[in-house]
Amino acid sequence: MKVLCVIPARYASTRLPGKPLSLIAGKPMIQHVYERACQAQRPDEVVVATDNELVEQAVTAFGGKAMMTSPDHPSGTDRLAEVALQYPDVDVIVNVQGDEPMIPPAVIDDLAQCFEVDPELNMATMKVRMKEEEYDDPSAVKVVTDQSGYALYFSRSLMPYPRNKPEDYKVFKHVGIYAYRRDFLLKYAALAPTPLERAESLEQLRALENGYKIKVLESDFHGIGVDTPEDLAAVNVLFAKMQG
């Protein structure tokens, strides 16, 4: 099974312009993500998919591989599909967000491994236990799964609602790292947006609304996705402590 790890890296960001090139401990953020992805054992190749020549130049400068993609993609999935078209011999594609500089390599390997265990699997992602202060935060996406670990629903609202709060009540946060069988990714990207997807602004609901199953692995990884200058400052503090 051939595995490709793709790191989408859009240059434009409303809250943090030039986000992929933001410095963390003296290195561009995209370099931290790339180096962590390269530490994973399962991917045969790691590539940054970008829409900006400055990002491409930065990746090339630190010895990484970058691919220029269209600046007009409406979603990360469409950008991923453009890359997939250039890799017809790949079986599985793992999509690592370019703003997760602390992503554990083992998470990438675990997602890729799912597809060897289950030859019928099309799509997989991750969840972690959610902190209570995030329950009412719409930017913290919640996920509920069945007893076999497949997603029942993703929402920005609290799920499950604790009307009768049992002792084992748990809320899980969706971690935005995905893995796809290549053929399914191309089919999925070609599907029209669906009503629930549009209502929640959550692209993964398109798969569920079309009857496809999504395997959701549980992890204890609580990273800091870098979306704002405050996030960037917090990550720099963490890296300074780790290096100190």
Side-chain angles (χ1 to χ4, degrees), residues 30-133:
I30 192 63
Q31 183 173 354
H32 286 283
V33 181
Y34 189 93
E35 289 175 350
R36 284 191 172 252
C38 286
Q39 292 171 25
Q41 300 298 307
R42 300 310 305 267
D44 296 275
E45 190 174 336
V46 178
V47 61
V48 173
T50 186
D51 59 356
N52 187 277
E53 290 182 356
L54 292 176
V55 177
E56 181 190 36
Q57 291 166 9
V59 173
T60 303
F62 66 70
K65 181 169 184 177
M67 176 179 166
M68 289 296 294
T69 54
S70 170
D72 301 322
H73 288 309
S75 71
T77 303
D78 295 295
R79 192 174 310 283
L80 202 64
E82 181 182 346
V83 176
L85 288 171
Q86 303 302 314
Y87 287 85
D89 59 336
V90 162
D91 300 296
V92 170
I93 295 176
V94 182
N95 178 11
V96 174
Q97 300 301 322
D99 58 5
E100 285 280 2
M102 303 179 74
I103 185 77
V107 165
I108 299 170
D109 287 334
D110 289 345
L111 281 170
Q113 177 66 21
C114 285
F115 293 84
E116 283 204 343
V117 174
D118 182 359
E120 302 299 316
L121 184 65
N122 286 312
M123 181 175 176
T125 188
M126 282 272 181
K127 67 179 182 180
V128 297
R129 283 287 299 273
M130 181 172 275
K131 300 172 184 175
E132 194 164 346
E133 57 265 29

Side-chain angles (χ1 to χ4, degrees), residues 74-75 78 188-199 202-203 205-207 209-210:
S75 71
D78 295 295
Y188 170 54
L191 294 172
T194 50
L196 293 175
E197 172 191 358
R198 292 195 299 268
L202 295 175
E203 197 178 3
L205 291 174
R206 188 189 309 176
E209 286 186 85
N210 279 283

Side-chain angles (χ1 to χ4, degrees), residues 120-194:
E120 302 299 316
L121 184 65
N122 286 312
M123 181 175 176
T125 188
M126 282 272 181
K127 67 179 182 180
V128 297
R129 283 287 299 273
M130 181 172 275
K131 300 172 184 175
E132 194 164 346
E133 57 265 29
E134 294 180 299
Y135 283 6
D136 297 320
D137 180 358
S139 67
V141 177
K142 293 80 178 171
V143 58
V144 289
T145 57
D146 65 17
Q147 294 189 13
S148 298
Y150 290 94
L152 293 170
Y153 194 66
F154 298 85
S155 182
R156 297 184 183 279
S157 298
L158 178 62
M159 301 188 306
Y161 182 79
R163 182 174 183 181
N164 300 303
K165 194 171 182 179
E167 290 183 6
D168 59 351
Y169 177 74
K170 296 177 182 178
V171 178
F172 285 97
K173 179 179 181 178
H174 176 228
V175 180
I177 174 173
Y178 296 95
Y180 308 87
R181 208 167 291 280
R182 177 186 177 275
D183 292 347
F184 171 75
L185 170 62
L186 295 175
K187 184 190 302 183
Y188 170 54
L191 294 172
T194 50

